[in-house]
Amino acid sequence: MTSPIWWAVARTEEISRVKPVNVDVADQPVVLWRDQDGMALALEDRCPHRRAPLSLGCILGNGAIQCGYHGWTYDGANGQLIDIPNLKSTRKFPPVYRAKAFGVAESGGFIRVCLDAKAQPPTAEAETLPL
C-alpha cells in the first residue's frame, strides 16, 4: 500500500483570505484560499454548475468561496454547495452539488495538497513533492 502524495504547491504567505489562488496538482486544477479562521482550504478549481474556475470568484466573509460566474457558493471544508443567489438561504442542496475537496496541510512555510481528501497530514518522513 502506497502512502498518499502531498504536493508542496505554495508558500504559506501566498495564500490569503483576500483572493483565491489557482495551482495545478498533477494536471488537476486546484483553488486555494484561507477561511475566516486562517485555515488553508483546497477545492477543484471548477464550479460544478457551469465549470467556471472558482479561482476567478471571491472569498466571502464567512470563509466560503463564491463562483464569479453565477454566484454559487461552496463550503471550503467539504465542497458542499451552501448558497445559490435568488434562492432562500434555508434551502438544502443535494450532495451531488459539490466541488471536489482535497486534503490540505501547512508546515515548514509551505501549503501542501493531497488529491485524497481523507489522507492524513504528512509527517516529516512522509513523501512530499516540492514546488
Side-chain angles (χ1 to χ4, degrees):
M1 182 174 159
T2 61
S3 54
I5 297 173
W6 287 85
W7 301 78
V9 296
R11 293 186 319 268
T12 295
E13 62 271 12
E14 293 177 303
I15 307 305
S16 73
R17 293 177 219 161
V18 177
K19 184 177 181 337
V21 173
N22 167 271
V23 297
D24 287 330
V25 177
D27 294 327
Q28 171 66 60
V30 175
V31 60
L32 295 168
W33 78 100
R34 292 185 186 278
D35 67 11
Q36 74 275 15
D37 298 323
M39 177 76 71
L41 300 168
L43 294 178
E44 179 177 22
D45 193 14
R46 288 189 192 108
C47 178
H49 175 228
R50 294 286 186 194
R51 309 302 284 169
L54 289 172
S55 58
L56 298 178
C58 64
I59 304 164
L60 302 180
N62 64 0
I65 191 164
Q66 185 178 60
C67 178
Y69 190 53
H70 280 134
W72 286 31
T73 303
Y74 300 91
D75 181 328
N78 59 19
Q80 180 63 45
L81 175 65
I82 56 176
D83 190 40
I84 295 176
N86 301 320
L87 290 181
K88 294 182 179 184
S89 61
T90 57
R91 180 167 177 171
K92 301 292 183 201
F93 302 105
V96 70
Y97 296 112
R98 79 173 52 241
K100 186 173 181 180
F102 301 117
V104 180
E106 186 170 358
S107 65
F110 290 97
I111 304 290
R112 291 176 169 79
V113 172
C114 181
L115 298 181
D116 178 358
K118 296 178 182 173
Q120 293 297 312
T123 59
E125 62 276 352
E127 182 179 358
T128 60
L129 296 176
L131 290 169

